Amino acid sequence: GRLEFVGGGWCMSDEAAAHYGPAIEQLALGRRFLRREFGACGTPRVAWQIDPFGHSRQLAAVFAQMGYDGLFVGRVDHQDKATREQLQEMELLWRASGSLPPPAADLFTGILPNVYNPPSGFCWDQLCSDPPVVDEDSEENNVDSIVSAFLQIAASQAESYRTNHIIMTMGSDFHYENANLWFKNMDKLIAHVNARQANGSRVHVLYSTPSCYLWELHRANLSWSLKTDDFFPYADGPHQFWTGYFTSRPAFKRYERLSNNFLQICSQLEALAGPVAQEGPYGPGNSSVLREAVAVAQHHDAVTGTEKQHVADDYARQLAAGWESCQLLVANALASLSGSKENFIFCNGLNISVCPLTEAAGRFTVILYNPLGRRVSWPIRLPVNGASYAVTDPQGQPVPSEVSPGQLPRPPARPAVWELLFQASAPPLGFSTFTVSRLSRGDPRAHPARTPVLSQPQEIQNEHLRVLFDPLTGHLKEIQNLDKSISLPVFQNFYWYNASVGNDESPQASGAYIFRPNSSEPIPVSSSKRVSTHLVKVGGGDGVPGAGGVPRVLSPQPCLLQNALVQEVHQNFSSWCSQVVRLHAGQPYVELEWTVGPIPVADGWGKEIISRFETTLQTDSRFYTDSNGRQILERRRDYRPTWNLSQTEPVAGNYYPVNSRIFIKDKKFQLTVLTDRSQGGSSIFDGSLELMVHRRLLYDDNRGVGEPLVELGADRQGLVVRGRHLLLLDTVESAADQHRLLAQELFMAPYVVLAPGGGPSYRHGQPSLRQFSALRRELPPNVHLLTLTPWDAGTLLLRLEHQFERGESVNGSQPVTVDLLNLFSAFTITSVQEMSLGADLPLNAISRLVWTPAIGPAQPRPVPKLDPSRVTLQPMEIRTFLATVRYKVPG
């Protein structure tokens, strides 16, 4: 064939900062488009990830489960590549899962010879400066020299590859605007090289495609070296580690994550309400705008933060447009499901404590939608101006609530808004509606809520955890898990690495892609040893649930209100860096909400800000990071599993992508930190763990962005970024039971919709529902509902996954069986077909090339007959179904 589609996703996604959920969806979206437009011929057989800056194990597993025969990559660490060229291991078999039985996640992987560029001297685009092939009868005729140079390059390349076929990529960035130049010269090259066969040359050149090349490799019937780790971090030379983009543009990274969260809620509600979601009382709703915006945001120059500022602004604009059309859809669906046509209000500014309705109204309703397959308890924080409020749950029972000082810094020109706090719970795949009424208008500021505490706070505690602070410095000092009676000294502080502008060793500067500190020792953000802190304990009131006791700042004696809703220590590290250490009642983790920025650069120094945790754990150079939010990989400082590393950057060369979690452990205890977006992280010395939260740089790193990463933000002063780290201290055996579920709760977080209340009935005579669940029963804790979205008329796409790896939990890692037919209450499933992960092919239609690893063959297992009433999931398995459904007729 001369033409084929490779890759076939909505974009060529990043592999470090992309989460597996949206990464799967963008691939499925592109594949569905190709199938719709081009039929079966449009189905890609080869994954084509030629530009992402490192390659992940989880994404390789995804490609395998979508039915791809192989993967081609362009960028591999320069030391790794040199070793592979020497050993003839440029083509290999990647075993991309330790849980799925081989060859389910085995993927043939080929490393291209020149990233994605043509061989040196053979670039014939209008952007190139190489001489064209001149074969006319003239003194400029250069056929002999060009053919000889080409044959030499081909012979040299062939030495690094195992078969008598080699691949060359002829093109590059922005090429083929004038395609004639390329083809005219390639036609001549092919003709003249092949003409040499008459003189004994054994080289034959032809136009080909990646899958034709792959087919020939398969026909060679060889066995291939096996790889089980991943291709991170990537360096294209000494001192040039592409580990900065793990954190670059942290606000956009969070917006992408939130947008996918809202897309899942939008898709679920569209599936649960049926067609009325698209054509309801609030106007035409449409989830495809957000779906396409989230899909393109997975691009390797989007979520990565490696685009120009105006391009980043455009990605954000596309996401915002998607939110708008999905909010219409959500309003239509909620009205239909609840039976009440409320004036639904989406407070998009809650992250900066802005919501005109809650600040002004004396009465309003709060609808909490939960997209997870199990009940969730979730803290609600709403900006208010009253002194006390009464909150009632869906059954009309009072819910304890408090009014607390809002978090600083606040947006300019805003009053000192207070926050109403209460703990809300929502059923699986459903919503709960709460009513809030103001009891007294009194100004909460009249109460002495934030008088400075003279001595430093020493501890906060709830029923699960006690967190201790150093009374002299104000820093976090120790965490105690009261359930397990274990404690661990944990010191936490913020530091900044001084970004290199290049030096004698290398001119490489730190930039959007590349992290290069000019010293391995970071500088503390706080110039003094002492961090200014104060303690806020909110709770109790006068013991009456819902009476809304006034917030008090307690003196730091270890006396505790056991019924406190929340306890917080506010730490101030500098004018541009602060943190709230928070314990909510009932929550088995410590929440650290950090606020960083605008990063000051008037001193001429770019800065890369980290939060570092130091413990007494004996970690033996090892730490653990997730792969795209799913599998966990062991990392070792200054070490690579497949080659002898010569380390040139002791900090940047040990940074790895952290999509959702990073942890350290010894024989007994494990400290896990969960993130709310992708960040770079590492353990630079034993017992420590660090995450880069923000960066602001003054120089370009010369990799194509063409501008420094300065992010001025809306006020042109520099970006302020806020985020959360959740800390879990547990035994090694039971750590996964906590972090697996909590990571999904962060990723698929419940969502708040507000309304003034008192809206008319959706249908005449229909009673309104204050609580709704689309599931007949909760899903087991190890099962996650990954996808629920409308597909074609009357059909829904459904993905269920086992969210534990093999052997990481005694109970969690067991196989689990779900009855699909009796799972949902919102509709009746009338028939089910099992599909490949991409949902574009029936599972039994997938036939992949089978490759033999050097350790011996693994035979593919036959697809078992589907019994939808008994769907069994093995560890890390994702199963995909198209379900035909019938909606209940309202009445």
Side-chain angles (χ1 to χ4, degrees):
R2 290 288 179 92
L3 176 67
E4 73 176 57
F5 292 110
V6 290
W10 201 246
C11 67
M12 186 186 294
S13 78
D14 176 50
E15 303 202 27
H19 189 279
Y20 74 95
I24 288 170
E25 290 216 346
Q26 77 82 22
L27 270 169
L29 186 64
R31 289 177 64 96
R32 190 177 188 200
F33 171 84
L34 291 175
R35 194 159 186 87
R36 196 169 59 232
E37 299 297 326
F38 299 97
C41 303
T43 302
R45 305 284 313 187
V46 173
W48 189 247
Q49 293 286 102
I50 59 173
D51 199 18
F53 334 120
H55 302 281
S56 82
R57 193 180 192 212
Q58 178 58 44
L59 232 58
V62 165
F63 286 128
Q65 291 167 84
M66 283 206 180
Y68 287 91
D69 286 322
L71 161 72
F72 288 98
V73 300
R75 298 183 184 277
V76 170
D77 185 281
H78 66 112
Q79 293 182 36
D80 188 7
K81 189 177 180 196
T83 309
R84 289 182 176 283
E85 285 176 331
Q86 218 174 343
L87 299 173
Q88 281 197 337
E89 289 184 0
M90 292 287 278
E91 291 159 335
L92 57 129
L93 193 61
W94 194 353
R95 180 150 292 166
S97 172
S99 297
L100 300 173
D106 288 1
L107 188 66
F108 184 89
T109 304
I111 299 163
L112 297 171
N114 304 298
V115 187
Y116 47 70
N117 297 301
S120 176
F122 293 84
C123 186
W124 289 310
D125 197 81
Q126 62 197 28
L127 297 171
C128 311
S129 50
D130 292 338
V133 181
V134 182
D135 54 1
E136 289 86 27
D137 190 9
S138 89
E139 59 196 38
E140 289 178 12
N141 184 302
N142 58 3
V143 167
D144 275 358
S145 61
I146 275 185
V147 168
S148 299
F150 182 85
L151 290 172
Q152 202 173 345
I153 284 169
S156 158
Q157 183 181 322
E159 285 174 14
S160 304
Y161 292 82
R162 289 180 61 201
T163 74
N164 62 347
H165 293 267
I166 60 171
I167 188 170
M168 287 182 181
T169 46
M170 302 299 275
S172 190
D173 292 326
F174 312 116
H175 282 209
Y176 288 88
E177 208 173 301
N178 179 353
N180 182 44
L181 279 174
W182 258 117
F183 285 111
K184 186 169 70 177
N185 282 283
M186 285 193 291
D187 285 347
K188 290 180 178 180
L189 179 73
I190 289 170
H192 292 297
V193 170
N194 292 346
R196 285 264 183 114
Q197 292 167 19
N199 301 335
S201 165
R202 295 178 57 215
V203 174
H204 182 76
V205 190
L206 69 157
Y207 285 119
S208 187
T209 67
S211 66
C212 293
Y213 174 63
L214 197 63
W215 190 251
E216 289 300 332
L217 295 182
H218 187 257
R219 274 182 43 182
N221 207 16
L222 302 173
S223 61
W224 304 89
S225 65
L226 197 68
K227 179 182 178 68
T228 55
D229 60 320
D230 65 0
F231 289 99
F232 286 115
Y234 164 63
D236 56 357
H239 309 289
Q240 295 167 191
F241 282 92
W242 299 44
T243 54
Y245 81 94
F246 300 161
T247 296
S248 296
R249 301 197 188 277
F252 181 70
K253 280 180 164 64
R254 177 65 182 149
Y255 192 37
E256 176 275 326
R257 192 65 61 94
L258 274 173
S259 298
N260 178 71
N261 191 168
F262 189 54
L263 172 63
Q264 299 313 312
I265 287 166
C266 180
S267 298
Q268 287 183 6
L269 281 166
E270 188 177 6
L272 299 178
V276 293
Q278 292 166 18
E279 297 297 331
Y282 303 92
N286 182 356
S287 57
S288 66
V289 185
L290 186 55
R291 185 168 293 107
E292 290 172 15
V294 170
V296 81
Q298 307 311 310
H299 187 276
H300 60 272
D301 282 315
V303 69
T304 52
T306 53
E307 61 279 83
K308 289 181 188 290
Q309 184 61 53
H310 73 272
V311 179
D313 293 344
D314 187 61
Y315 282 126
R317 186 192 58 73
Q318 289 188 48
L319 288 170
W323 277 74
E324 278 189 26
S325 54
C326 253
Q327 283 172 348
L328 281 175
L329 198 151
V330 166
N332 286 333
L334 283 177
S336 161
L337 294 169
S338 70
S340 182
K341 282 197 280 197
E342 299 291 347
N343 175 19
F344 294 112
I345 288 169
F346 298 87
C347 275
N348 297 329
L350 281 177
N351 63 324
I352 52 167
S353 302
V354 173
C355 184
L357 173 71
T358 60
E359 290 168 56
R363 184 182 170 91
F364 55 89
T365 63
V366 177
I367 300 143
L368 183 69
Y369 179 82
N370 168 23
L372 289 170
R374 57 176 190 278
R375 177 171 282 276
V376 206
S377 175
W378 196 253
I380 304 288
R381 279 179 175 259
L382 299 168
V384 292
N385 279 317
S388 62
Y389 289 79
V391 180
T392 56
D393 71 10
Q395 287 75 38
Q397 296 301 307
V399 176
S401 68
E402 306 294 347
V403 175
S404 133
Q407 190 178 338
L408 301 169
R410 235 181 293 290
R414 294 279 306 159
V417 171
W418 289 66
E419 289 185 320
L420 169 69
L421 309 181
F422 64 94
Q423 198 70 18
S425 134
L429 211 66
F431 60 81
S432 293
T433 305
F434 299 81
T435 304
V436 179
S437 314
R438 188 166 54 209
L439 296 177
S440 68
R441 276 186 175 283
D443 186 347
R445 281 164 288 189
H447 304 294
R450 257 201 181 151
T451 48
V453 178
L454 296 174
S455 61
Q456 294 282 358
Q458 291 179 347
E459 64 173 64
I460 53 176
Q461 172 175 342
N462 68 8
E463 56 269 53
H464 300 294
L465 294 165
R466 181 183 291 128
V467 182
L468 283 71
F469 296 83
D470 187 310
L472 297 174
T473 66
H475 284 111
L476 180 66
K477 183 177 86 170
E478 186 181 331
I479 298 176
Q480 299 175 359
N481 178 329
L482 304 175
D483 300 327
K484 304 276 173 77
S485 303
I486 57 180
S487 75
L488 182 68
V490 180
F491 169 82
Q492 185 271 339
N493 200 2
F494 288 92
Y495 302 86
W496 56 278
Y497 288 109
N498 194 342
S500 176
V501 299
N503 60 10
D504 294 345
E505 272 187 305
S506 161
Q508 183 61 57
S510 213
Y513 295 91
I514 286 172
F515 170 36
R516 189 183 182 208
N518 71 358
S519 155
S520 296
E521 286 304 316
I523 299 152
V525 165
S526 175
S527 48
S528 82
K529 283 265 189 284
R530 206 184 144 115
V531 180
S532 81
T533 61
H534 60 266
L535 179 65
V536 180
K537 286 190 178 176
V538 180
D542 47 16
V544 182
V550 297
R552 290 145 305 186
V553 172
L554 303 179
S555 60
Q557 271 71 35
C559 68
L560 277 169
L561 288 167
Q562 290 302 326
N563 62 343
L565 277 181
V566 67
Q567 303 175 31
E568 301 178 342
V569 171
H570 292 238
Q571 301 171 310
N572 215 31
F573 295 86
S574 74
S575 62
W576 53 272
C577 177
S578 63
Q579 181 169 263
V580 178
V581 183
R582 189 178 284 134
L583 274 184
H584 283 283
Q587 292 188 337
Y589 55 85
V590 187
E591 178 181 325
L592 291 91
E593 188 171 36
W594 45 268
T595 305
V596 175
I599 299 173
V601 288
D603 53 13
W605 291 343
K607 298 178 181 63
E608 329 224 16
I609 318 303
I610 62 162
S611 172
R612 179 182 278 176
F613 302 84
E614 298 177 28
T615 74
T616 51
L617 292 173
Q618 305 286 307
T619 53
D620 190 25
S621 302
R622 287 164 170 79
F623 57 106
Y624 300 80
T625 65
D626 66 279
S627 178
N628 308 102
R630 201 150 190 267
Q631 301 184 47
I632 307 288
L633 282 87
E634 180 185 275
R635 310 300 192 180
R636 267 170 72 184
R637 196 161 53 251
D638 298 330
Y639 172 82
R640 303 290 185 266
T642 57
W643 83 91
N644 290 331
L645 174 71
S646 163
Q647 184 62 280
T648 55
E649 288 288 327
V651 175
N654 284 306
Y655 258 63
Y656 288 86
V658 178
N659 223 277
S660 63
R661 75 210 83 180
I662 179 172
F663 59 81
I664 47 174
K665 62 181 185 180
D666 61 11
K667 299 265 186 301
K668 288 183 184 166
F669 305 136
Q670 178 169 321
L671 182 75
T672 310
V673 182
L674 284 93
T675 65
D676 62 355
R677 75 202 72 193
S678 289
Q679 295 175 332
S682 188
S683 171
I684 298 299
F685 52 89
D686 279 6
S688 80
L689 179 161
E690 68 187 55
L691 287 156
M692 189 185 292
V693 296
H694 198 0
R695 51 203 311 254
R696 190 177 184 189
L697 307 168
L698 301 176
Y699 294 88
D700 178 44
D701 53 10
N702 203 24
R703 289 302 184 286
V705 185
E707 60 185 44
L709 186 69
V710 286
E711 291 205 280
L712 293 172
D715 62 1
R716 316 300 292 160
Q717 302 301 301
L719 212 50
V720 181
V721 178
R722 179 174 289 166
R724 298 191 303 154
H725 287 148
L726 305 188
L727 241 66
L728 291 167
L729 171 64
D730 210 332
T731 58
V732 169
E733 308 84 70
S734 51
D737 292 329
Q738 289 227 356
H739 74 69
R740 283 288 176 196
L741 273 64
L742 193 51
Q744 289 295 12
E745 208 170 290
L746 257 181
F747 178 69
M748 297 270 274
Y751 184 74
V752 169
V753 181
L754 298 150
S761 291
Y762 182 75
R763 285 181 206 85
H764 185 64
Q766 182 185 8
S768 66
L769 273 180
R770 295 176 58 81
Q771 190 155 302
F772 165 84
S773 172
L775 295 187
R776 294 183 191 276
R777 61 188 68 82
E778 286 199 14
L779 285 170
N782 48 3
V783 176
H784 175 55
L785 177 64
L786 179 61
T787 311
L788 174 63
T789 189
W791 201 245
D792 294 316
T795 61
L796 302 179
L797 175 67
L798 188 67
R799 286 192 188 93
L800 286 173
E801 67 164 316
H802 194 306
Q803 58 183 357
F804 282 76
E805 290 193 69
R806 203 171 65 192
E808 72 179 353
S809 159
V810 174
N811 295 321
S813 297
Q814 297 301 320
V816 58
T817 300
V818 175
D819 177 356
L820 210 54
L821 298 179
N822 288 311
L823 183 57
F824 295 95
S825 59
F827 45 76
T828 306
I829 294 179
T830 55
S831 68
V832 183
Q833 183 179 24
E834 186 158 8
M835 307 296 284
S836 68
L837 182 58
D840 55 335
L841 290 167
L843 187 61
N844 55 17
I846 294 280
S847 78
R848 299 170 65 217
L849 296 179
V850 179
W851 303 85
T852 307
I855 58 169
Q859 282 311 312
R861 302 178 180 209
V863 175
K865 189 173 184 307
L866 175 65
D867 174 359
S869 66
R870 290 190 58 79
V871 172
T872 300
L873 293 158
Q874 301 292 336
M876 284 280 110
E877 187 177 18
I878 305 175
R879 294 184 68 176
T880 306
F881 305 97
L882 278 184
T884 309
V885 298
R886 191 173 62 241
Y887 289 94
K888 295 202 167 39
V889 180

